[in-house]
Amino acid sequence: MGTNGISDGRNLTLLTDLYELTMMQGYFKEKEKNVNVIFDAFYRTNPDGNGYAISCGLEQIIELIENFHFSEDDIAYLASLNMFEQDFLDYLKDFKFTGDIYAIPEGNVMFPREPMVKVKAPIMQAQLLETALLNIINHQSLIATKAARVVHAAKGDGIMEFGLRRAQGPDAGIYGARAAIIAGCVGTSNVLAGKMFGVPVSGTHAHSWIMSHESELEAFRSYAKLYPNACILLVDTYDTLNSGIPNAIKVFKEMRDAGIKSKKYGIRMDSGDLAYLSKQAKKMLDAEGFTDAVISASNDLDEYLIQSLKAQGAEINSWGVGTNLITSKDTPAFGGVYKLAAIEDKKTGKMIPKIKISENSEKVTNPGDKVIYRFYGKDTGKIIADLIALADEKYDENDDIILFDPIETWKKTRLRGGTYTIKPVMIHVFENGKCIYNDRPTVLELRDICKKDMDTLWDESKRLMNPNKVHVDLSKPLYDLKQELLDKYRNI
């Protein structure tokens, strides 16, 4: 296993909803229907009331597609369902993905309604991708977004992810840890995630370590002897201020007197009034000359509690966040969807735009083959807006451009040529079934990428409550196409 978490051929081809396979058989039988199509995976609302989301999971999507195949056991199982005919099952024996995929790279900020992933392939192949693709990107993008909020609230303090025991199963714990690191966490308690992704692992000890010794002091001394360079002592087993911290200080003094210079030492608190206790702990540690001691806290933390503790002047400089991060407890689902955007006309070979219409305006899809352009202020480097455009549209940074809100069209912004820069947001990942995104960043490199991309957001868009929304506009040609299709299917 490499540092991107590539497994040795894990086959997830049957990680799909049954109706994807029944539709595949339908397209197989009606061969004229198996034309090239475009599907967009996108989401409609930022999780947690956030001002952005973090793209995450592309590496596992690549792994999924590169290992796409129906094994003999898979085909035997499908045959046992008595739903699939032999000619279709024979076709599956040699099935492979032959299409193109474009995606927002991992660690990038992204916004509602713009394609996270675009799939261009024969409809049988594109349809089969839907469930697993959404499963992967919805989960990891959700946890990465939650982690980014927690990291932002900590204002530079280190965030440790240690939610494995509370995650919804092994994969959620492993890939949730991966997403959390990409979004800015400094490490994880998950040893398997550390091995798979080459990321830092860390941990202290449990209350049971203290309780298994004759005394708290003996437990601290024993731990310090075992781990002098990573001596973080859990001080709230019996009495934080009257026992735990004084005993920890006694051990730190003994280490100092013995000439042991620990690379990392300090205390951890997992209960009580963390603001008050941390302030008292800081005074006690400083009084004995341990001014650089780590003061770590855990106990059902999330971004709101961390923000509150910071506002109260808590003397905490390291945070352990578990349940609320790894489960994204207050927003348990990302809500990404996968919608048909265009279908090939077999006679002309042209892609015909398709639209889904709903009484709910947010559920009306954007038709056609699309790309995303991101506009930045030339002087600030901050995001001005994202523009969803048709794939054949080109823009020049020297030209004036008018951006407008696709719902409230009277809201317009004129960008003067030379005052902005443009970047295409999506990258080409698969071409004709072959992955061409070869120099892929490691998880720690993705963390750096994510930090830099987060820096392009205005602070107002990173607020935990009522953030300023980044504009996601439609180009004039795409807007006109959408209106034309709406009128056509509404018989106007």
Side-chain angles (χ1 to χ4, degrees):
M1 250 176 226
T3 55
N4 281 320
I6 298 298
S7 71
D8 50 359
R10 187 181 187 193
N11 181 13
L12 298 179
T13 307
L14 287 189
L15 185 67
T16 190
D17 293 305
L18 180 61
Y19 81 164
E20 311 288 14
L21 290 164
T22 56
M23 283 189 286
M24 276 186 74
Q25 179 168 248
Y27 295 131
F28 176 80
K29 292 293 186 181
E30 299 179 17
K31 296 192 183 301
E32 72 280 1
K33 299 292 186 183
N34 187 31
V35 295
N36 291 320
V37 296
I38 297 174
F39 274 92
D40 294 329
F42 63 94
Y43 69 101
R44 299 186 178 102
T45 306
N46 288 319
D48 301 305
N50 211 32
Y52 60 89
I54 301 293
S55 176
C56 202
L58 178 59
E59 184 65 38
Q60 281 63 55
I61 291 171
I62 294 171
E63 177 183 346
L64 167 79
I65 295 169
E66 289 190 326
N67 287 291
F68 244 171
H69 69 280
F70 289 87
S71 69
E72 290 184 11
D73 284 347
D74 292 340
I75 292 171
Y77 170 71
L78 293 177
S80 74
L81 299 178
N82 296 317
M83 297 179 67
F84 302 103
E85 297 182 16
Q86 190 59 49
D87 56 349
F88 177 63
L89 295 173
D90 290 340
Y91 161 78
L92 294 182
K93 291 177 182 178
D94 297 317
F95 176 87
K96 63 179 182 177
F97 182 76
T98 62
D100 284 38
I101 291 179
Y102 301 79
I104 298 176
E106 292 192 275
N108 280 221
V109 296
M110 58 183 183
F111 307 104
R113 299 183 302 281
E114 55 191 31
M116 302 181 288
V117 180
K118 178 172 72 174
V119 178
K120 300 177 73 173
I123 194 167
M124 280 200 292
Q125 299 176 26
Q127 196 74 67
L128 182 62
L129 272 178
E130 177 179 10
T131 303
L133 184 151
L134 288 176
N135 174 275
I136 291 167
I137 205 164
N138 274 339
H139 173 248
Q140 289 197 49
S141 297
L142 176 70
I143 304 305
T145 305
K146 182 67 170 180
R149 288 170 59 83
V150 174
V151 168
H152 179 67
K155 297 186 181 301
D157 295 342
I159 299 291
M160 276 293 303
E161 181 283 313
F162 63 93
L164 177 58
R165 65 189 61 191
R166 302 286 175 81
Q168 284 99 338
D171 275 3
I174 292 167
Y175 292 104
R178 178 184 189 274
I181 296 290
I182 289 171
C185 289
V186 298
T188 177
S189 67
N190 186 330
V191 180
L192 182 54
K195 176 188 175 187
M196 289 175 66
F197 309 124
V199 300
V201 292
S202 183
T204 56
H205 57 79
H207 295 104
S208 58
W209 174 264
I210 308 298
M211 297 160 65
S212 67
H213 289 73
E214 288 297 319
S215 69
E216 185 176 58
L217 181 59
E218 180 192 342
F220 285 173
R221 282 174 173 157
S222 178
Y223 194 82
K225 184 178 179 180
L226 284 168
Y227 308 106
N229 286 319
C231 186
I232 307 296
L233 303 175
L234 184 59
V235 296
D236 69 339
T237 303
Y238 301 123
D239 188 322
T240 301
L241 295 180
N242 295 313
S243 174
I245 297 174
N247 280 328
I249 289 172
K250 187 175 292 187
V251 170
F252 297 152
K253 283 182 175 180
E254 291 171 356
M255 293 172 69
R256 184 171 60 189
D257 293 344
I260 298 171
K261 294 183 178 180
S262 180
K263 292 180 181 178
K264 184 178 180 181
Y265 75 99
I267 63 169
R268 177 166 76 94
M269 297 173 291
D270 191 48
S271 61
D273 186 328
L274 296 176
Y276 172 74
L277 291 173
S278 66
K279 292 175 190 177
Q280 296 303 114
K282 179 65 173 170
K283 290 178 183 177
M284 295 165 72
L285 288 161
D286 283 358
E288 299 295 341
F290 300 113
T291 57
D292 60 345
V294 172
I295 300 178
S296 177
S298 48
N299 188 25
D300 287 333
L301 297 173
D302 63 11
E303 65 269 41
Y304 300 109
L305 185 50
I306 291 173
Q307 185 180 64
S308 176
L309 288 165
K310 299 283 284 187
Q312 295 171 61
E315 294 283 0
I316 298 166
N317 50 33
S318 179
W319 308 82
V321 187
T323 305
N324 292 314
L325 192 162
I326 203 67
T327 66
S328 186
K329 190 174 181 179
D330 49 357
T331 304
F334 192 71
V337 296
Y338 189 79
K339 299 297 181 183
L340 183 68
I343 187 165
E344 183 184 52
D345 184 325
K346 272 203 165 184
K347 293 180 180 178
T348 64
K350 293 182 179 179
M351 298 302 290
I352 307 301
K354 293 292 182 178
I355 189 170
K356 176 187 179 295
I357 299 176
S358 170
E359 293 299 322
N360 299 326
S361 60
E362 69 274 9
K363 289 193 173 185
V364 177
T365 61
N366 293 315
D369 186 1
K370 299 175 293 296
V371 293
I372 312 164
Y373 291 108
R374 184 158 291 168
F375 290 76
Y376 302 87
K378 197 166 189 177
D379 294 334
T380 65
K382 302 294 186 183
I383 297 173
I384 298 171
D386 274 10
L387 183 73
I388 307 175
L390 295 172
D392 58 359
E393 293 184 58
K394 305 296 179 187
Y395 293 89
D396 192 307
E397 295 174 354
N398 295 312
D399 293 338
D400 290 1
I401 184 172
I402 295 176
L403 303 178
F404 63 93
D405 187 287
I407 305 299
E408 299 172 295
T409 55
W410 53 271
K411 293 182 178 179
K412 298 179 180 180
T413 300
R414 178 184 291 274
L415 300 182
R416 299 290 182 182
T419 66
Y420 63 88
T421 59
I422 311 174
K423 182 186 83 171
V425 177
M426 303 177 81
I427 59 171
H428 201 170
V429 181
F430 279 85
E431 183 175 31
N432 297 324
K434 179 179 174 59
C435 181
I436 59 172
Y437 181 36
N438 296 317
D439 296 324
R440 303 197 290 276
T442 66
V443 171
L444 293 182
E445 288 169 343
L446 287 170
R447 184 172 65 184
D448 293 337
I449 289 169
C450 186
K451 183 180 185 304
K452 289 177 183 176
D453 217 46
M454 286 282 292
D455 287 342
T456 66
L457 287 168
W458 294 92
D459 288 342
E460 292 82 356
S461 295
K462 292 186 276 190
R463 283 195 300 254
L464 299 183
M465 300 287 289
N466 300 316
N468 183 57
K469 291 184 179 180
V470 175
H471 295 291
V472 178
D473 299 327
L474 303 185
S475 70
K476 185 65 163 57
L478 175 56
Y479 177 83
D480 289 344
L481 172 63
K482 186 174 183 177
Q483 295 305 310
E484 178 187 330
L485 292 178
L486 286 170
D487 290 347
K488 173 183 176 182
Y489 289 112
R490 292 286 188 172
N491 296 313
I492 294 175

